[in-house]
Amino acid sequence: MGESEKSRLVAWNLELRAAHRRLRRALRLARESLEARDTVSARADLLLYCKGFCAALDGHHVREDVGLFPELSARHPSLRPAIAKLQQDHEMIAMLLGRFDRAITSDAAPSELATHLDGLSAIMESHFRYEERELLGVLATLELDADPHDLLGPL
């Protein structure tokens, strides 16, 4: 096995962690924008961040649901209950993202926007930790010749 093949074996767990880091950073930037600026500037920044962040988070979860999770379910049937829980989380996060987007575009008060960010942050962190706890070990040894963007989204 060549060095590039060995690197490929551990790439999936590293890719997942990197995706989660980027999404956490994007959420942190959105929160900092809300806390540090006047309402008009914060709303403009949140519109920009939400379009990028919300699209990235949704894209990440959709790619997992249609790409990564079917592969893992087929190769590791014992993971199916964990994957089902992760997919339920994806549905809840999508609903929260929709509510957040509507709050931004409807001139919601900064306190309401902060509440949306708090909710997103809490469910995301719980979801990411659970996903990492349940999947990183398997992903570290996953032999799958695919583009990470196809299975984890273009983050």
Side-chain angles (χ1 to χ4, degrees), residues 29-151:
L29 288 171
R31 177 170 299 290
E32 288 170 4
S33 175
L34 183 61
E35 292 171 354
R37 301 178 195 269
D38 62 85
T39 304
V40 174
S41 295
R43 187 172 311 285
D45 285 349
L46 284 174
L47 279 169
L48 176 65
Y49 290 138
C50 186
K51 295 306 176 194
F53 163 74
C54 295
L57 183 58
D58 187 57
H60 169 65
H61 289 160
V62 167
R63 294 311 313 154
E64 283 181 332
D65 288 346
V66 301
L68 181 62
F69 290 168
E71 285 288 339
L72 289 177
S73 289
R75 294 167 188 241
H76 301 277
S78 64
L79 288 176
R80 288 179 184 156
I83 289 170
K85 183 196 178 313
L86 292 167
Q87 289 173 316
Q88 284 179 322
D89 285 356
H90 290 176
E91 291 173 15
M92 177 177 286
I93 291 169
M95 180 190 64
L96 292 173
L97 288 173
R99 288 180 181 171
F100 181 51
D101 185 50
R102 285 189 297 280
I104 292 170
T105 58
S106 70
D107 291 331
S111 60
E112 184 181 339
L113 297 175
T115 299
H116 284 284
L117 286 174
D118 289 343
L120 276 168
S121 180
I123 187 76
M124 273 179 47
E125 194 57 41
S126 172
H127 173 77
F128 289 166
R129 286 181 185 197
Y130 180 77
E131 187 170 58
E132 290 172 2
R133 191 172 54 249
E134 295 297 317
L135 301 184
L136 286 182
V138 170
L139 291 175
T141 62
L142 184 65
E143 294 185 46
L144 181 61
D145 186 24
D147 182 339
H149 292 135
D150 290 341
L151 300 187

Side-chain angles (χ1 to χ4, degrees), residues 11-36:
W12 292 106
N13 65 330
L14 297 177
E15 286 289 335
L16 182 66
R17 280 183 187 238
H20 289 174
R21 269 194 312 276
R22 288 189 292 272
L23 288 165
R24 284 177 174 120
R25 184 173 48 239
L27 184 62
R28 189 172 54 251
L29 288 171
R31 177 170 299 290
E32 288 170 4
S33 175
L34 183 61
E35 292 171 354

